[in-house]
Amino acid sequence: GGEEEEILAMIFECYHGKYSRPACVLLFCSLMELHLRMLVLRRWRWLEIEWPDLGTTLKEKWRFKQRAELFESLTGVSLFKHPRSEKLFSRHSALVGKRDKLAHGLTGAAWLVTNQEIRSAVELAAESFSVFAELHHKYCSIDSPPLLKP
């Protein structure tokens, strides 16, 4: 992922800036959305589901939680409960409210983001690459399990 790596580079740049550190939270949440989108896309391709359906589905299910639920419908696995991704998804959920306030320009939003949350966003962003690589390997590779039939 080139785009994912660019976002990570932006996170590191913001972290070292004097006034841009809160943007690390915003960028981490964007990175997670991109990781999840690519995971769903690759699982969808692996299952050989028709492409027009994918475009429509991704437009309809654009929220993070909706896409996590879509992944669960394609695998039978909740990313919020999976041992490898549970911590990452839980901490992401905890930062989304701060991201929303920053993204929508609410007064004082940048001051509401703590140094611990900024550091956490940077650490989680770096960690997200290995977590999603493992998920891709487990659910999008040659020996991945098929779609479970209800």
Side-chain angles (χ1 to χ4, degrees), residues 99-140:
R99 185 274 319 260
D100 290 347
K101 289 176 181 163
L102 281 167
H104 297 294
L106 296 183
T107 304
W111 296 309
L112 295 176
V113 181
T114 67
N115 283 331
Q116 178 56 39
E117 290 168 328
I118 293 166
R119 182 158 183 81
S120 179
V122 173
E123 291 169 356
L124 291 168
E127 182 183 328
S128 70
F129 283 83
S130 63
V131 171
F132 277 91
E134 285 183 39
L135 293 169
H136 278 278
H137 178 71
K138 184 163 177 100
Y139 299 105
C140 307

Side-chain angles (χ1 to χ4, degrees), residues 9 37 61 127:
R37 181 181 180 280
K61 298 181 183 293
E127 182 183 328

Side-chain angles (χ1 to χ4, degrees), residues 37-129:
R37 181 181 180 280
M38 296 310 296
L39 183 66
V40 167
L41 193 86
R42 289 183 180 126
R43 177 64 181 178
W44 193 285
R45 279 189 204 162
W46 187 89
L47 293 171
E48 298 179 352
I49 299 171
E50 292 296 318
W51 274 101
D53 296 340
L54 175 62
T56 302
T57 301
L58 289 178
K59 283 179 186 166
E60 291 171 357
K61 298 181 183 293
W62 58 273
R63 295 182 187 273
F64 189 84
K65 189 169 184 194
Q66 290 175 315
R67 289 196 175 168
E69 290 167 353
L70 179 57
F71 180 81
E72 185 172 355
S73 74
L74 296 171
T75 61
V77 174
S78 168
L79 293 169
F80 290 96
K81 296 177 183 171
H82 189 282
R84 188 61 179 107
S85 59
E86 180 179 16
K87 176 184 135 193
L88 181 65
F89 275 65
S90 169
R91 302 215 16 226
H92 167 266
S93 294
L95 291 172
V96 166
K98 299 277 177 116
R99 185 274 319 260
D100 290 347
K101 289 176 181 163
L102 281 167
H104 297 294
L106 296 183
T107 304
W111 296 309
L112 295 176
V113 181
T114 67
N115 283 331
Q116 178 56 39
E117 290 168 328
I118 293 166
R119 182 158 183 81
S120 179
V122 173
E123 291 169 356
L124 291 168
E127 182 183 328
S128 70
F129 283 83

